[in-house]
Amino acid sequence: MAGDSAVFEAADKAVIASVLYRSGRAPEKVPLDRIDASLDTSSGLLWVGLKDPEPALLEQLGGQLGFSRKALEEVISPHRRPKVVEYEEMTLIVAITVEVENLKPSFGDTQILIGKGFLLTIRRGATATHHELRELLENSPEFLGRGSDYVASALLDLLVDRYVAALSRLETAVEGIEQQFLLRGFRESDIRRLYRQRRDLLRIHTAIAPMAEICRRLSRVEMRHIDADSRGYFGEVADRILRANEFINSLREALAFAFEASLMIGQTQQTDTTRKLAAWAAILAVPTAVAGVYGMNFRVMPELNWFYGYPAIMGLTFAACGVLYWKFKKAKWL
């Protein structure tokens, strides 16, 4: 037992909160070594929040909450994709968190463990806390009667709010790109930045898109730790995630249109340059041809001995060049 106490004493930084909520009573902080004795499956809710915990701490908590070895291994392992796994003693939901800072997304994962009378949340790589949801529990005691499954649905709904906030920041960047394109067009560095943002949006879509199917499953499939009264809330979260995915797709399409427009403008500029070069080449071909003919050493050329031969040839050459210039100008090649 001395080893267990040492683990809990060293885990102070990993424990965000360990609170027992009971209807009609003030929230009560519960030490980690007394969690098993504080579980109240009838009317209370024990919510333990951890951030970047060590495996030893999770093993000790799992032992007190009665987790099987397989369930404990799943909790300790890091996750890169959303998932839901049901065990006899609890239901595990893994959600990927998305936060945007300086227009660069960062990803983490939040594990939500739903059991009878308890809720365990484990954050890895995420900086945003669940403090606002805890305040809602403290100020709205009626929520406690709905159980840990309802609180889990509210927590997922909070994560969706943060998805939308992150996408709103990226939307501002996309609008800035479109305005910049209309004002001065794209440069090579702008094309690279546009590609990075499209790639970031794809990563965000890959991270949160499976959450819609997971929440839909929680709302339709009968599970041990999800009451029938709480399934509808998970369905609402699934609908919100689908709307967030549509938001992502709209941003990706906006960037795709901007990228295609930049390519079309670049091709148009190249075509205009090619036309101008071709027009000037045709105009300059006339004096070149005349100079080539008179550059040959022929003696029998009547205009060589004609007094007005040189002015006439030069006049005809300039006239031909002028007619060609007028034709190309009219055709908008020059």
Side-chain angles (χ1 to χ4, degrees):
M1 296 299 292
D4 296 351
S5 300
V7 170
F8 289 129
E9 290 176 1
D12 291 340
K13 294 183 180 180
V15 179
I16 303 301
S18 177
V19 182
L20 176 62
Y21 300 94
R22 292 178 180 177
S23 181
R25 299 185 184 182
E28 177 184 351
K29 293 185 178 180
V30 178
L32 294 186
D33 54 358
R34 293 180 50 198
I35 283 181
D36 52 350
S38 302
L39 286 178
D40 186 357
T41 58
S42 58
S43 60
L45 172 62
L46 175 64
W47 185 356
V48 180
L50 305 177
K51 185 179 186 300
D52 299 323
E54 296 294 333
L57 175 61
L58 293 177
E59 289 183 359
Q60 296 294 339
L61 286 176
Q64 292 193 69
L65 295 174
F67 292 173
S68 64
R69 189 63 196 173
K70 185 177 180 181
L72 190 57
E73 290 176 354
E74 186 70 32
V75 172
I76 294 175
S77 301
H79 299 85
R80 295 182 179 273
R81 292 289 183 270
K83 64 189 305 184
V84 56
V85 185
E86 186 179 24
Y87 298 97
E88 184 176 355
E89 63 276 14
M90 59 90 176
T91 298
L92 170 64
I93 303 173
V94 179
I96 302 300
T97 59
V98 179
E99 298 172 332
V100 174
E101 185 176 358
N102 297 326
L103 300 182
K104 293 183 179 180
S106 59
F107 300 90
D109 70 88
T110 296
Q111 298 185 46
I112 305 172
L113 288 76
I114 308 170
K116 294 299 182 182
F118 74 88
L119 180 71
L120 176 61
T121 57
I122 304 172
R123 292 189 291 124
R124 293 187 177 97
T127 59
T129 67
H130 307 146
H131 182 68
E132 54 191 288
L133 188 56
R134 290 184 179 274
E135 287 185 345
L136 181 63
L137 281 177
E138 295 174 3
N139 297 327
S140 304
E142 65 273 11
F143 288 163
L144 297 176
R146 302 185 184 183
S148 57
D149 50 354
Y150 172 77
V151 178
S153 68
L155 183 56
L156 290 175
D157 193 64
L158 177 63
L159 294 180
V160 177
D161 288 338
R162 292 171 181 171
Y163 292 159
V164 176
L167 292 174
S168 298
R169 293 184 180 180
L170 294 178
E171 182 185 23
T172 303
V174 171
E175 291 176 352
I177 288 178
E178 292 177 335
Q179 292 178 357
Q180 174 183 317
F181 166 71
L182 293 175
L183 291 175
R184 64 173 179 84
F186 281 148
R187 300 171 183 172
E188 184 177 353
S189 59
D190 298 327
I191 298 296
R192 291 194 181 98
R193 183 160 60 93
L194 187 149
Y195 173 76
R196 285 195 298 268
Q197 290 187 343
R198 288 192 65 188
R199 181 191 59 188
D200 291 339
L201 286 172
L202 178 60
R203 293 172 61 195
I204 294 174
H205 175 75
T206 303
I208 71 175
M211 283 300 302
E213 182 60 30
I214 289 174
C215 291
R216 192 70 68 191
R217 177 182 174 187
L218 292 171
S219 67
R220 294 176 178 175
V221 179
E222 183 177 352
M223 293 186 175
R224 293 188 182 92
H225 306 285
I226 307 296
D227 293 337
D229 295 337
S230 298
R231 293 176 192 168
Y233 299 111
F234 289 101
E236 293 178 1
V237 175
D239 294 336
R240 294 195 62 200
I241 294 175
L242 290 176
R243 289 194 292 270
N245 285 329
E246 293 176 357
F247 192 4
I248 294 175
N249 292 331
S250 65
L251 294 179
R252 292 179 63 193
E253 289 180 0
L255 291 177
F257 290 153
F259 183 73
E260 292 174 359
S262 67
L263 292 179
M264 294 176 62
I265 290 178
Q267 293 175 355
T268 301
Q269 292 175 347
Q270 291 179 355
T271 302
D272 291 340
T273 302
T274 302
R275 288 179 176 179
K276 290 180 180 180
L277 292 175
W280 283 113
I283 293 173
L284 294 177
V286 175
T288 302
V290 173
V293 171
Y294 280 89
M296 293 182 289
N297 295 323
F298 291 136
R299 293 182 179 180
V300 185
M301 297 182 70
E303 62 274 16
L304 290 179
N305 296 322
W306 185 31
F307 180 80
Y308 296 103
Y310 177 76
I313 294 299
M314 294 303 294
L316 291 174
T317 301
F318 281 117
C321 292
V323 170
L324 288 176
Y325 180 83
W326 175 71
K327 288 287 187 180
F328 286 127
K329 193 73 173 177
K330 186 178 181 181
K332 297 182 179 181
W333 279 39
L334 290 175

